[in-house]
Amino acid sequence: MSEITLHDLEKQYGETTAVEEVSVEIEDGELLCLLGPSGSGKSTTLRMIAGLETPTSGEISINGDDVTDDPAYERTTSTVFQDWALFPHKTVRENVEFGLKMRGVPADERAQRAESMLERVQMDGYGDDDPTNLSGGQKQRVALARSLAVNPDVLLLDEPLSNLDKRLREDMQIELREIHEDLDETFVHVTHDQDEAFTLADRIGIMDQGELIQVGDPDEVYENPKNQFIESFLGDTNFVNSRVTRATADAVYVDTDLGTELVLPTDAEPAVDEGTALTLSLRPEILSIDQPSADGGTAAADASEQLATDGSSRTAVTGTVENVVYRGSTVRYSADIDGTSMFAERTDASTGALSADDQIRLEWNGADVLAFREDGTRVSL
Ligand code: ADP
């Protein structure tokens, strides 16, 4: 049985459709991240699961029970919010015990449970402290302990780390992941931060304009995005304009803004016609960087020469380095390729460094290039 089922969930605020036709099954013990830009409907979805918002239509079930019309306090969920929302006039321990007290748990059991939760979030020893004196990270640990103390079936986290600075946020992501692994409970975590989602999630659900566009394992959504929005949202890439010149059972041939024809190998003849405009995505990690050979290097080979007999294809383009940005673990090169700007990255900063105005050669495997139609849908190649 899946722990949480959302079926055709919708939320209207007047004219605004905050959430539209969201359906997903969240497995028992899973950590699902809802990821999307601000205003995409993540929080509203989470708040409907919590019972803090009533859906305009659709159903929510938890553990097989339809809870759509149940108030928040009757649900077996617990929520951690972005703002710490600790009670200022209570000690840390009293804050953590609060939910247990409301549920009538006896004092000694409450104290024991609070202590073990504070230990779990590395805040043991702070029980008697005034929460207003804690740092942002400490407050959020206490908020987490308070939410976990009531032993919820589902922990809902609404951007809980976004007010923390980068270093602390990264540490807390790892800790949250460990807490989730320890507890083996279902977590639904809302974030607009791709790195956070990739660090934490078992699966990522990507939202845009109220819709849940794709749900999948982190590597699946990254490598196999359903549309161009996801491709651009999940990391930096080079988008290149192109137009189909020929489509066969083996390959799609496209004319590009890189001054060369490219070959995209296919497994099955894709549904694209000659003349169709496609946006190609070439992620920096698929591009290998070199200096052109001594003879000045050649531009891309003729398209028919790019396709090997085994069905693979390799393409190379040459151009001029525009700028070099040292980024610590990587060096990023921007290059002018026949009037189009492209960037690529190198991890081994020490070898074969190129400078501005040097010639550069970028090479890639055609199978690693993704293609999107004008409406953003992906062409399956
Ligand atoms: P996210 O969490 O992805 O940033 P939200 O779920 O908060 O997005 O918001 C989705 C949309 O619904 C936004 O356009 C937002 O302005 C709108 N919205 C959210 N809550 C309310 C509300 N209480 N009243 C009116 N509009 C709202």
Side-chain angles (χ1 to χ4, degrees):
M1 187 195 310
S2 65
E3 184 80 20
I4 308 172
T5 304
L6 308 182
H7 179 69
D8 267 351
L9 211 55
E10 204 150 323
K11 180 68 182 178
Q12 293 277 142
Y13 292 109
E15 295 288 290
T16 308
T17 305
V19 171
E20 196 172 1
E21 287 180 28
V22 165
S23 294
V24 64
E25 294 197 356
I26 304 166
E27 304 289 326
D28 193 5
E30 176 174 31
L31 197 165
L32 179 84
C33 274
L34 292 178
L35 172 67
S38 173
S40 57
K42 308 177 298 291
S43 226
T44 305
T45 304
L46 196 82
R47 292 172 66 82
M48 289 194 281
I49 301 173
L52 301 168
E53 296 285 353
T54 312
T56 308
S57 61
E59 290 106 51
I60 301 168
S61 65
I62 298 178
N63 275 336
D65 296 329
D66 186 338
V67 299
T68 317
D69 299 318
D70 292 355
Y73 64 84
E74 282 181 11
R75 300 194 188 188
T76 52
T77 58
S78 192
T79 311
V80 185
F81 296 100
Q82 176 179 346
D83 43 22
W84 334 111
L86 296 175
F87 303 114
H89 306 296
K90 295 182 190 295
T91 63
V92 164
R93 181 177 299 102
E94 286 165 348
N95 264 279
V96 177
E97 285 186 15
F98 180 76
L100 299 168
K101 200 169 176 183
M102 297 315 282
R103 284 168 169 76
V105 176
D108 51 347
E109 199 182 323
R110 280 201 317 258
Q112 215 175 7
R113 177 103 185 128
E115 215 43 58
S116 98
M117 282 300 126
L118 285 172
E119 212 173 294
R120 187 65 204 82
V121 298
Q122 299 179 20
M123 285 296 288
D124 39 328
Y126 288 85
D128 296 324
D129 282 31
D130 175 351
T132 50
N133 296 332
L134 301 177
S135 72
Q138 290 173 324
K139 283 181 188 165
Q140 207 51 330
R141 282 170 211 264
V142 175
L144 187 61
R146 187 177 64 181
S147 297
L148 288 170
V150 295
N151 208 8
D153 284 341
V154 180
L155 187 69
L156 303 170
L157 303 115
D158 194 356
E159 303 256 9
L161 309 180
S162 59
N163 282 343
L164 307 179
D165 64 38
K166 187 171 184 296
R167 179 70 192 273
L168 182 58
R169 195 165 66 231
E170 288 170 358
D171 288 349
M172 292 280 289
Q173 287 164 5
I174 306 284
E175 271 180 47
L176 253 185
R177 173 88 231 164
E178 285 172 3
I179 290 171
H180 174 257
E181 276 162 17
D182 265 14
L183 297 174
D184 206 22
E185 278 169 13
T186 310
F187 283 27
V188 184
H189 181 106
V190 160
T191 181
H192 63 274
D193 178 340
Q194 303 88 308
D195 292 338
E196 185 162 312
F198 280 108
T199 305
L200 280 171
D202 293 320
R203 283 193 306 162
I204 297 176
I206 304 208
M207 295 196 70
D208 183 33
Q209 297 180 46
E211 291 182 53
L212 184 60
I213 303 184
Q214 184 171 6
V215 184
D217 295 351
D219 59 338
E220 187 185 333
V221 290
Y222 187 78
E223 284 164 23
N224 215 354
K226 212 165 155 185
N227 66 19
Q228 193 176 333
F229 164 78
I230 297 175
E231 179 71 352
S232 63
F233 189 67
L234 292 186
D236 291 343
T237 189
N238 293 286
F239 283 127
V240 174
N241 296 325
S242 76
R243 198 164 286 278
V244 176
T245 52
R246 194 153 57 96
T248 70
D250 301 323
V252 177
Y253 296 78
V254 292
D255 242 344
T256 67
D257 282 354
L258 301 176
T260 179
E261 202 176 31
L262 296 189
V263 181
L264 310 171
T266 65
D267 292 332
E269 198 166 340
V272 286
D273 298 323
E274 194 182 318
T276 305
L278 297 180
T279 301
L280 310 181
S281 171
L282 289 84
R283 285 218 185 264
E285 64 266 27
I286 73 165
L287 302 173
S288 64
I289 302 173
D290 244 319
Q291 273 166 310
S293 49
D295 61 8
T298 49
D302 185 76
S304 56
E305 290 169 30
Q306 296 174 27
L307 194 64
T309 45
D310 66 358
S312 67
S313 85
R314 289 200 73 80
T315 305
V317 292
T318 55
T320 311
V321 176
E322 286 177 317
N323 63 62
V324 182
V325 179
Y326 182 71
R327 293 157 63 104
S329 57
T330 60
V331 180
R332 177 176 284 202
Y333 295 94
S334 300
D336 179 321
I337 310 288
D338 204 55
T340 294
S341 205
M342 286 184 75
F343 74 94
E345 283 172 355
R346 196 170 219 178
T347 45
D348 52 344
S350 55
T351 57
L354 296 170
S355 315
D357 299 329
D358 282 350
Q359 289 293 294
I360 187 170
R361 181 176 187 273
L362 302 176
E363 186 178 347
W364 62 87
N365 186 347
D368 294 334
V369 176
L370 304 186
F372 302 93
R373 296 181 189 83
E374 274 180 319
D375 65 2
T377 57
R378 165 114 173 265
V379 180
S380 62
L381 292 165

